[in-house]
Amino acid sequence: MKKVYLVADNITSPLGATTAQNFEHLVNDVTGVRQHNDKAISDERFFASLFEKGYFQTDKCWTKFEHLVIASLTEILYGVDKNISDKKTVLIISTTKGNISLLETEEPSPELDARIALHTSAKKIARHFGFVNEPLVISHACISGLAAMITGMRLIQSGQYDHVVVAGADVISKFVLSGFQSFQAVSPGLCKPFDANRDGINLGEGAATVILSAEKTDGETIELASGAVSNDANHISGPSRTGEELYFAIDKTMKGAGLQAGDIDFISAHGTATIYNDEMEAKAVTLAGLQDVPLNSLKGFYGHTLGASGLIEAIVSAQSLKQNIIIPTKGFSKQGDANRVNVCSQLISKPLNSCLKIASGFGGCNAAIILTKSQQDIS
């Protein structure tokens, strides 16, 4: 089967406009999460990672969501030797909410219905950059970013495409935040993934793009070795109580990569800092025999960036492999799960070759991927 490589990447977030800027801030324990008092989003003060108000351009042609996707794509495509007008190249966009915030500012109409449709944004963005193939949209709750990477991997392995550009983004609006507030799932302070005193999520804005390719570039390259998706079939918002379904995705992914538990150097967890999500992930990790493997959550740095979270965290994981550094879990201080997992509480520097990235979302969806240094780079 064809190998699939991550040949270029970008993270655009409140921590920076490039992957390098973002990773530098993570290494230095800088978070984008802070308290906000914005009545346009919430009547109450809230903690989130948001762009400064002047960041989004006032352009009637592009919405905030589209502007964010374009910013990330522009940064990654500049100077990259990949012909995006090639028939063997396709664009995939991952998001959970897209332009849903337009419901707050526009009058209902057929035109608004068309404008909110995710395929409308995808086609506009694809035309803007000159992609010739119809873009694909993956909107699968909070696993959207990982599901998009897995889809891209399979398209390359099938021989349908040689290069897949995967971009993900979401912005935070009153509509989005109020939904999580209605679940009483939003923390009144900085979130605490996997901690005994965790009390909910922080939300975040961000975008990320990765180019997947069948062609290995010069220098150190990260391989997308395997990936799988599963579903709890349990509840529309609550995760499985057993962790067995996420474990199924983990197990299938590890078998697909030909790896054992002892081959995984660290785990990038979803780690939303809600009671049930973190407990379920800890159970799944334990079922996989990975409870002693260093594990982190990046939600204390970025908040939960929804459709961008899987991409952002996968790119950070790839950088961790390249730089042999595991980022700690900001907000964590004391084990809070019955199934004790090895949560990183400080920066770890050691040789790294492989990473398991996992995610879960509403509707009981789960996803897992494995990133590895290419064997040539390891040897």
Side-chain angles (χ1 to χ4, degrees):
M1 188 173 290
K2 285 185 178 180
K3 291 183 178 294
V4 178
Y5 301 101
L6 280 65
V7 298
D9 55 65
N10 167 263
I11 299 173
T12 298
S13 80
L15 289 182
T18 66
T19 298
Q21 290 173 0
N22 276 263
F23 199 78
E24 181 181 4
H25 280 123
L26 295 177
V27 169
N28 290 303
D29 196 37
V30 177
T31 177
V33 178
R34 61 182 180 83
Q35 189 179 61
H36 295 270
N37 184 20
D38 187 344
K39 299 297 184 183
I41 297 179
S42 175
D43 293 334
E44 305 171 356
R45 293 176 182 269
F46 62 98
F47 279 76
S49 178
L50 306 179
F51 289 97
E52 297 293 335
K53 287 194 174 182
Y55 174 79
F56 294 102
Q57 297 175 0
T58 53
D59 186 340
K60 291 185 178 180
C61 182
W62 302 108
T63 64
K64 288 183 177 181
F65 160 67
E66 292 160 355
H67 172 74
L68 198 48
V69 176
I70 289 170
S72 183
L73 278 166
T74 299
E75 184 66 37
I76 197 174
L77 293 175
Y78 179 76
V80 172
D81 185 22
K82 291 288 176 290
N83 185 4
I84 59 175
S85 62
D86 189 343
K87 281 284 189 181
K88 299 292 282 186
T89 301
V90 69
L91 172 67
I92 300 177
I93 291 180
S94 71
T95 182
T96 62
K97 302 302 181 184
N99 288 323
I100 200 71
S101 62
L102 293 179
L103 290 174
E104 301 170 16
T105 59
E106 307 294 328
E107 292 295 323
S109 69
E111 291 76 21
L112 178 61
D113 293 343
R115 191 69 186 88
I116 285 179
L118 296 178
H119 63 79
T120 301
S121 294
K123 289 178 180 179
K124 280 172 63 71
I125 293 167
R127 286 195 300 267
H128 176 75
F129 285 100
F131 289 91
V132 296
N133 291 305
E134 283 284 298
L136 303 178
V137 175
I138 303 292
S139 184
H140 199 349
C142 300
I143 72 166
S144 296
L146 288 192
M149 290 183 69
I150 293 168
T151 301
M153 175 189 71
R154 292 173 177 170
L155 289 172
I156 291 173
Q157 290 173 338
S158 70
Q160 188 170 352
Y161 296 103
D162 292 332
H163 314 292
V164 180
V165 181
V166 183
D170 266 306
V171 295
I172 303 306
S173 64
K174 187 170 187 176
F175 178 92
V176 175
L177 179 59
S178 64
F180 285 92
Q181 288 173 331
S182 70
F183 285 118
Q184 298 183 342
V186 179
S187 173
L190 181 69
C191 68
K192 309 175 188 69
F194 296 98
D195 191 79
N197 296 314
R198 62 184 183 269
D199 55 4
I201 68 170
N202 303 139
L203 292 179
E205 296 178 323
T209 306
V210 63
I211 298 179
L212 304 178
S213 179
E215 300 173 2
K216 184 180 183 297
T217 55
D218 294 333
E220 191 172 58
T221 307
I222 302 301
E223 180 184 342
L224 176 52
S226 183
V229 172
S230 68
N231 197 281
D232 298 347
N234 174 66
H235 191 273
I236 194 169
S237 61
S240 163
R241 295 297 188 266
T242 67
E244 291 177 356
E245 297 81 6
L246 174 57
Y247 162 65
F248 176 83
I250 293 171
D251 185 58
K252 188 172 182 180
T253 299
M254 291 178 63
K255 288 177 178 175
L259 299 180
Q260 304 293 322
D263 298 319
I264 304 298
D265 292 311
F266 76 98
I267 301 167
S268 173
H270 194 51
T272 60
T274 57
I275 297 294
Y276 294 127
N277 174 88
D278 292 9
E279 182 69 33
M280 184 276 288
E281 281 195 285
K283 288 180 178 179
V285 167
T286 301
L287 287 170
L290 298 168
Q291 62 270 23
D292 295 325
V293 176
L295 172 149
N296 70 5
S297 166
L298 300 177
K299 297 299 190 290
F301 294 99
Y302 290 106
H304 192 343
T305 54
L306 306 177
S309 62
L311 279 166
I312 289 175
E313 292 160 13
I315 292 170
V316 171
S317 297
Q319 286 298 310
S320 290
L321 290 175
K322 289 181 178 180
Q323 300 192 35
N324 296 304
I325 295 174
I326 303 175
I327 303 298
T329 301
K330 193 168 187 64
F332 173 82
S333 61
K334 180 182 178 182
Q335 284 279 349
D337 298 295
N339 295 93
R340 296 175 67 86
V341 289
N342 187 13
V343 183
C344 298
S345 58
Q346 59 186 3
L347 207 68
I348 297 176
S349 295
K350 70 173 189 176
L352 302 172
N353 292 321
S354 62
C355 165
L356 170 69
K357 169 69 197 136
I358 55 179
S360 299
F362 285 164
C365 54
N366 307 290
I369 64 170
I370 285 179
L371 302 174
T372 66
K373 288 178 180 173
S374 67
Q375 293 302 307
Q376 182 178 345
D377 293 332
I378 293 173
S379 58

